[in-house]
Amino acid sequence: MNITNVLTKSDQACLEDTLRFYHDAITNDESLKLFLTKKGLFNQSLIATFNLGLANRQLGLLLPSKQVKAGKDLRTKLQSIGILRASGHEQLNGSLVVPITDLDGKVIDAYGLKLGNRLRKGTPLELNLGVETKGLWNVSAISYTEELIVCNSIIDAMTFWVHGYKNVVSLYLRAALTNDELALFKSSGVQRLLIAPSISNTSDQIQQHGLASYVLKLPLGQSVNQYALSVSNAGNALGSLIRHSDWQEPE
């Protein structure tokens, strides 16, 4: 990331440059490697395909002092796109950074998941850049499948992805699909949704959009990622979850 050029770029280009900077920060970072390994997600294809990144306090070190005009202007620009808070701190500091793109591949948001457990009381484990969440992780999957897995945890969706189930999307920081998203699924050729139990859409709402609705049967209290880590062959176990999902009757 060339800090000296940021002020001459559009907000969109600045956002994308910053996320590339976070992506480059993954190289040789043992803390993120350990975090992903513990989740069963240290996968170079996953990292490269979705441009996963790390916010590790290095961005702030590149900024000129806020006492000079260039430093003040840079901070104002980074605050306007959500990278910095009003306090000057990085919004996603200490987090795995996951860019969120639309169907055209344009970055529309970024999701952050804190890596550490030693957080001050009240610190959220999950964040994003804007006031509202935008879009779905891996939304491009809707263009090539009739059967779509829907999670509301990006880590759970990544778990399916690394085990070969690429037909997966994920919400983040919310529990329900919007009517617009359901309509988009249908218009893109999706016929069936396999949804995580934590997704709060009703079967009626889903089926009103002409989509069949099935629920994944996870062991009580376990997430997809926890389940995958608890079995000896995660790929086969996830496939069984898909095959034995329960059809939701209209309410």
Side-chain angles (χ1 to χ4, degrees):
M1 182 180 184
N2 188 337
I3 290 295
T4 60
N5 292 335
V6 167
L7 283 174
T8 64
K9 294 187 175 184
S10 68
D11 286 356
Q12 183 65 35
C14 181
L15 173 60
E16 292 174 357
D17 277 1
T18 304
L19 294 180
R20 278 193 290 270
F21 176 83
Y22 287 154
H23 176 65
D24 291 343
I26 282 184
T27 306
N28 300 321
D29 189 276
E30 291 301 317
S31 63
L32 184 57
K33 180 179 179 180
L34 178 61
F35 177 84
L36 291 174
T37 299
K38 285 182 176 179
K39 299 288 186 184
L41 299 175
F42 187 68
N43 179 290
Q44 292 297 342
S45 181
L46 177 75
I47 292 169
T49 299
F50 296 101
N51 294 307
L52 304 188
L54 172 67
N56 61 357
R57 298 182 176 87
Q58 296 305 302
L59 178 62
L61 299 178
L62 297 178
L63 300 178
S65 169
K66 60 184 177 182
Q67 305 303 323
V68 300
K69 186 178 186 303
K72 183 178 179 181
D73 290 347
L74 278 169
R75 284 171 172 79
T76 298
K77 190 173 186 69
L78 292 172
Q79 286 169 357
S80 73
I81 59 175
I83 296 297
L84 296 184
R85 302 174 192 160
S87 65
H89 295 93
E90 289 177 67
Q91 169 70 353
L92 304 181
N93 188 43
S95 301
L96 166 70
V97 177
V98 183
I100 305 296
T101 60
D102 63 15
L103 278 172
D104 296 322
K106 176 184 174 182
V107 176
I108 56 175
D109 199 0
Y111 164 82
L113 177 63
K114 294 291 188 183
L115 300 183
N117 295 321
R118 297 179 180 178
L119 302 173
R120 285 184 293 183
K121 187 176 181 179
T123 300
L125 291 175
E126 301 173 282
L127 310 97
N128 73 305
L129 295 182
V131 176
E132 298 180 355
T133 61
K134 297 179 182 178
L136 300 163
W137 179 79
N138 196 32
V139 70
S140 62
I142 70 174
S143 63
Y144 57 76
T145 185
E146 292 185 354
E147 185 172 84
L148 187 68
I149 305 166
V150 184
C151 300
N152 75 333
S153 158
I154 288 180
I155 293 297
D156 283 354
M158 288 178 174
T159 303
F160 276 113
W161 197 93
V162 299
H163 289 289
Y165 303 99
K166 312 295 188 185
N167 57 322
V168 61
V169 298
S170 182
L171 297 75
Y172 59 105
L173 299 175
R174 59 189 172 103
L177 294 159
T178 66
N179 284 321
D180 285 346
E181 287 166 341
L182 291 169
L184 178 62
F185 293 169
K186 183 63 177 178
S187 66
S188 299
V190 175
Q191 300 295 321
R192 298 175 298 282
L193 299 186
L194 309 181
I195 64 175
S198 49
I199 299 290
S200 63
N201 295 90
T202 66
S203 57
D204 276 353
Q205 182 187 9
I206 293 171
Q207 290 164 19
Q208 282 169 5
H209 288 273
L211 299 163
S213 176
Y214 298 78
V215 177
L216 300 170
K217 294 191 294 185
L218 286 162
L220 186 64
Q222 282 195 329
S223 68
V224 172
N225 184 256
Q226 290 168 336
Y227 175 63
L229 293 173
S230 72
V231 297
S232 58
N233 189 320
N236 286 347
L238 293 175
S240 182
L241 274 185
I242 292 169
R243 291 191 301 275
H244 295 98
S245 55
D246 282 339
W247 177 61
Q248 286 187 301
E249 296 185 29
E251 297 179 353

